[in-house]
Amino acid sequence: MENIARPRGTMDVMAPDIFMWNHIEKTVRAVAERYGFSEIKTPTFEEIGLFKRGVGETTDVVQKEMYSFTDKDGTMFALRPEGTASVVRAIIENGKASDTLPLKYFYLINCFRYEKPEAGRSREFVQFGTEMFGAPSAAADFTVISLADTVLRELGLKNVRLHINSIGCPECRPVYRAELVKYLNAHAGELCDTCLERMNTNPLRVLDCKNESCRKVAENAPRTVDHLCEECRTHLDDLTSSLDACGVGYVIDPHIVRGLDYYTKTVFEFISEGIGAQSTVCGGGRYDGLMEELGGPRMAGIGFGMGITRIILAMKQEGIDVPVLGVPQLYVATMGKKAVTEGLKIVSELRAMGVNAETDVVGRSLKAQMKYADKISARFVLMLGDTEIESGKAQLKEMATSEQAEIDIGEVAGFIKDRANQ
Ligand code: ATP
Ligand code: MG
């Protein structure tokens, strides 16, 4: 029969990569909780309208990348392409908008986008995201940026740099947008087809097009930072002052505009030097209009999304090792029914004490069990047969030194436990 392969753009994750995943998940949870963010779980699919409104009709995500389907009752759903819209819906739906502010949530979720798969870009991917609502100040921007920065540093990443920009607000952006469109029109001949379309729908996106010729046009384009209203200007200055004061490195990058429609003021990306084209490991920004857009109260918001696969690529590129599954402190080799039972008793006792221990479950010969113990790098091996069970004494061998000594079977667990952390 023909084998069925996994869907294009999806992953099977197992050892050794799974150790990286687990280490990253543990780190992001620990850091997020230290910053006072609480975890939120929302459904994997939502009514498609939520993403159309929340992410924006003009975005690639909504126009091309959504996995949508019609339910048996005719409702159109989509697998979530990102986390923010769902968090906002959940806040509104569960009456959390009237809780004491700020609201601080984080999530570790799988997202789905119909994209062309390549290194760092898949159709199902995992995102670590944070959202803070009800905090309009630059101190809030600093807090979420600092959270992302701390995660990246605690993972040991050194070649990741923070790029920030401000894209203004409904006050100053229309003026800027008009000037940008004028400039782009004058250079229409040098733009790719997608950008020609974007010029009318979402002209800011032309600035982060990866196409060589569009990049050249973007080089000399008018910059948002030169067109900010006073409020947006002060906001950006306050943010950079805090970053400076707290030693968080950054560059101002006028090409960071983010793909999603709802961003205002601060936008930022953490970019890894050296993992190729998909180098943005984290992207985020402020979206003060989103909550209202989705039917909630007017409430400032800021957050980011961090792609775990891209973090893994960056960690591998920087040669960062993570803790792997612990090795067994004891392997009990058994011959005969009574020995099997005694072996299970000893490993159960050790496991209950938090110590990694193993015994035979395959029915191997003694010789094969010794070989297996060596293969799994067991630290000690206890050899149990009928004679040992009868006498209550058995041989315990330390694998690294091949030293062997007799021990009371009843004392094995305690002996191993005492040495487990040495
Ligand atoms: P890109 O420009 O790379 O397509 P994006 O602007 O679409 O990114 P966001 O929607 O801001 O990305 O998502 C936040 C983060 O999620 C990205 O910075 C990236 O790390 C990760 N990410 C986005 N799309 C994918 C994908 N298809 N596969 C893996 N990771 C992804
Ligand atoms: Mg994208």
Side-chain angles (χ1 to χ4, degrees), residues 36 52 216 331:
K52 286 190 174 168
K216 286 219 178 83
Y331 178 84

PDB file of all heavy atoms in Angstrom, residues 36 52 216 331:
ATOM      1  N   GLY A  36       4.705  39.189  34.389  1.00  0.00           N
ATOM      2  CA  GLY A  36       3.306  39.310  34.810  1.00  0.00           C
ATOM      3  C   GLY A  36       2.276  39.057  33.724  1.00  0.00           C
ATOM      4  O   GLY A  36       1.138  39.515  33.831  1.00  0.00           O
ATOM      5  N   LYS A  52     -10.699  38.586   9.021  1.00  0.00           N
ATOM      6  CA  LYS A  52     -10.836  39.610   7.977  1.00  0.00           C
ATOM      7  C   LYS A  52     -10.821  40.991   8.609  1.00  0.00           C
ATOM      8  O   LYS A  52     -10.141  41.900   8.143  1.00  0.00           O
ATOM      9  CB  LYS A  52     -12.131  39.395   7.184  1.00  0.00           C
ATOM     10  CG  LYS A  52     -12.033  38.204   6.242  1.00  0.00           C
ATOM     11  CD  LYS A  52     -13.217  38.162   5.301  1.00  0.00           C
ATOM     12  CE  LYS A  52     -13.038  37.052   4.277  1.00  0.00           C
ATOM     13  NZ  LYS A  52     -14.268  36.797   3.536  1.00  0.00           N
ATOM     14  N   LYS A 216      15.300  49.129  -4.018  1.00  0.00           N
ATOM     15  CA  LYS A 216      16.001  50.352  -4.438  1.00  0.00           C
ATOM     16  C   LYS A 216      15.062  51.549  -4.359  1.00  0.00           C
ATOM     17  O   LYS A 216      15.443  52.625  -3.901  1.00  0.00           O
ATOM     18  CB  LYS A 216      16.530  50.185  -5.875  1.00  0.00           C
ATOM     19  CG  LYS A 216      17.726  49.266  -5.970  1.00  0.00           C
ATOM     20  CD  LYS A 216      18.757  49.791  -7.000  1.00  0.00           C
ATOM     21  CE  LYS A 216      19.988  48.894  -7.068  1.00  0.00           C
ATOM     22  NZ  LYS A 216      19.785  47.719  -7.965  1.00  0.00           N
ATOM     23  N   TYR A 331      20.277   1.208  35.485  1.00  0.00           N
ATOM     24  CA  TYR A 331      19.568   0.244  34.643  1.00  0.00           C
ATOM     25  C   TYR A 331      19.588  -1.075  35.401  1.00  0.00           C
ATOM     26  O   TYR A 331      20.650  -1.529  35.836  1.00  0.00           O
ATOM     27  CB  TYR A 331      20.263   0.081  33.279  1.00  0.00           C
ATOM     28  CG  TYR A 331      19.567  -0.946  32.417  1.00  0.00           C
ATOM     29  CD1 TYR A 331      18.465  -0.596  31.647  1.00  0.00           C
ATOM     30  CD2 TYR A 331      19.988  -2.281  32.416  1.00  0.00           C
ATOM     31  CE1 TYR A 331      17.790  -1.544  30.889  1.00  0.00           C
ATOM     32  CE2 TYR A 331      19.324  -3.232  31.663  1.00  0.00           C
ATOM     33  CZ  TYR A 331      18.230  -2.859  30.902  1.00  0.00           C
ATOM     34  OH  TYR A 331      17.549  -3.801  30.163  1.00  0.00           O
TER      35      TYR A 331
END
